Amino acid sequence: MNERDETPRPKKPTPGGGDDDTPTTQLRRELPQEVPATAAREPGEAPRDEKNKLTGRQRLAQGLWPPRFTRAQLIVALLLFGLGFGLAIQVASNNDDSALRGARQEDLVRILDELDDRTQRLEEEKQGLEDQRTELENSSDQAEEARKQTVEKERQLGILAGTVAAQGPGITLTINDTKGTVEADMLLDAIQELRAAGAEAIQVNGVRVVASTFLTDSGEGISVDGNKITQPFRFKVIGNPQDLEPALNIPGGVVQTLEKEQATVTVRRAGKIVVDALRAAKRPDYARSSSQ
């Protein structure tokens, strides 16, 4: 007779059983509830819920700022900057070579007029020299004719050097500077403009202007060759009045520049101007005449 195995067998867990005290069930009860994992966020990044609420413009701003540059991008930026700087210098150099292209119409007309006047004066000087040569060749007494021409040349050179007085038609230029804004370079511009227009003799407040004349600012006044002059500044100029006056009154010229500085400028033509301020003849230290 076979005996039955009386060893008790473990019960199978019943689905949904609440009173099952198996080790697995006990372990599950002791473990805490699972916490949902959250995605890692970069520093400064808004939470996902807040990020979803941002507008498109705000997202674009967050993507652009703060900027993030790599080393390669910085090197490319430096190379592009150097290339642009070199191109800018090249363009500026080309513009300096063609400065007349950007000049105003009034300035171009003035430059052309000055060139025409200089050409005319050179032609007259050339014609005068040719006439002197003709007189020397046709004169019966060439020695006497040469002496006369030498005396005349000496007188002309004396006028230019300021060692002899001169008179003739010309203009007077008076500048009243009550505001004290006129400076030495403005008077120098006036002298250069007059010379370019054909002035043969110039005197400023009793000081003869020659080729070596210099002007400097001196306290409340201006010095001409070391001689201090004060306003009003009076110019006596010998030359063709029809050339001298328009040269000062051209648009953007001497008169308009001085009037912008609140100075009062008066230009008058005269049939006779006397320039009697003299400069002492300076004997050269080393140069001697080759005829001695």
Side-chain angles (χ1 to χ4, degrees), residues 29 47 57 98 126 151 157 161 186 191 221 281:
R29 290 176 180 176
R57 182 176 300 176
S98 58
K126 176 184 175 183
V151 172
L157 294 176
M186 300 177 186
I191 292 174

Side-chain angles (χ1 to χ4, degrees), residues 27-70:
L27 181 61
R28 289 180 178 177
R29 290 176 180 176
E30 293 177 359
L31 288 174
Q33 295 182 356
E34 294 182 359
V35 179
T38 57
R41 293 188 289 111
E42 295 183 1
E45 184 179 2
R48 185 174 300 277
D49 294 340
E50 297 181 3
K51 189 173 182 180
N52 292 334
K53 297 179 181 179
L54 297 178
T55 63
R57 182 176 300 176
Q58 291 175 340
R59 293 178 182 175
L60 179 61
Q62 286 186 354
L64 295 177
W65 188 263
R68 300 178 180 86
F69 297 107
T70 64

Side-chain angles (χ1 to χ4, degrees), residues 173-188:
L173 170 64
T174 305
I175 303 172
N176 288 293
D177 179 27
T178 57
K179 302 292 184 180
T181 56
V182 176
E183 298 179 351
D185 58 343
M186 300 177 186
L187 298 186
L188 180 60

Side-chain angles (χ1 to χ4, degrees), residues 25-271:
T25 306
Q26 293 179 358
L27 181 61
R28 289 180 178 177
R29 290 176 180 176
E30 293 177 359
L31 288 174
Q33 295 182 356
E34 294 182 359
V35 179
T38 57
R41 293 188 289 111
E42 295 183 1
E45 184 179 2
R48 185 174 300 277
D49 294 340
E50 297 181 3
K51 189 173 182 180
N52 292 334
K53 297 179 181 179
L54 297 178
T55 63
R57 182 176 300 176
Q58 291 175 340
R59 293 178 182 175
L60 179 61
Q62 286 186 354
L64 295 177
W65 188 263
R68 300 178 180 86
F69 297 107
T70 64
R71 185 176 181 181
Q73 290 175 338
L74 290 175
I75 294 175
V76 172
L78 290 176
L79 292 176
L80 291 176
F81 174 78
L83 179 62
F85 185 73
L87 291 175
I89 294 177
Q90 184 66 29
V91 171
S93 177
N94 293 336
N95 291 338
D96 292 340
D97 295 338
S98 58
L100 292 179
R101 295 181 181 178
R104 298 178 303 173
Q105 183 177 1
E106 296 83 358
D107 296 335
L108 294 176
V109 172
R110 175 176 60 84
I111 293 173
L112 289 175
D113 291 341
E114 291 179 357
L115 291 176
D116 291 340
D117 294 339
R118 291 177 184 177
T119 302
Q120 183 178 358
R121 289 194 298 271
L122 290 175
E123 290 292 339
E124 293 176 354
E125 183 177 356
K126 176 184 175 183
Q127 185 63 39
L129 292 175
E130 291 178 351
D131 293 342
Q132 291 179 6
R133 183 186 64 182
T134 302
E135 291 177 359
L136 285 173
E137 292 175 351
N138 297 334
S139 176
S140 57
D141 190 350
Q142 294 184 358
E144 180 63 20
E145 184 64 28
R147 188 189 67 81
K148 291 181 180 180
Q149 293 186 8
T150 302
V151 172
E152 179 64 21
K153 191 66 174 180
E154 180 182 4
R155 185 186 67 82
Q156 295 176 359
L157 294 176
I159 293 175
L160 297 177
T163 57
V164 297
Q167 64 179 14
I171 64 169
T172 59
L173 170 64
T174 305
I175 303 172
N176 288 293
D177 179 27
T178 57
K179 302 292 184 180
T181 56
V182 176
E183 298 179 351
D185 58 343
M186 300 177 186
L187 298 186
L188 180 60
D189 290 341
I191 292 174
Q192 292 177 343
E193 195 68 42
L194 290 169
R195 283 175 172 171
E200 297 177 353
I202 303 175
Q203 176 178 321
V204 182
N205 284 38
V207 181
R208 188 71 169 266
V209 176
V210 294
S212 60
T213 294
F214 62 92
L215 289 83
T216 57
D217 294 315
S218 176
E220 296 180 355
I222 296 175
S223 295
V224 181
D225 290 336
N227 300 303
K228 186 175 180 179
I229 61 174
T230 57
Q231 66 93 20
F233 306 111
R234 296 185 176 89
F235 287 67
K236 293 182 179 180
V237 187
I238 296 177
N240 187 357
Q242 297 179 355
D243 295 335
L244 298 176
E245 183 181 7
L248 297 176
N249 289 309
I250 59 175
V254 173
V255 174
Q256 285 192 0
T257 301
L258 292 171
E259 289 178 349
K260 287 181 180 179
E261 299 296 332
Q262 298 182 356
T264 304
V265 184
T266 304
V267 181
R268 290 181 180 152
R269 299 185 184 186

Side-chain angles (χ1 to χ4, degrees), residues 4-10:
R4 292 182 180 181
D5 189 2
E6 297 295 336
T7 304
R9 296 179 181 179

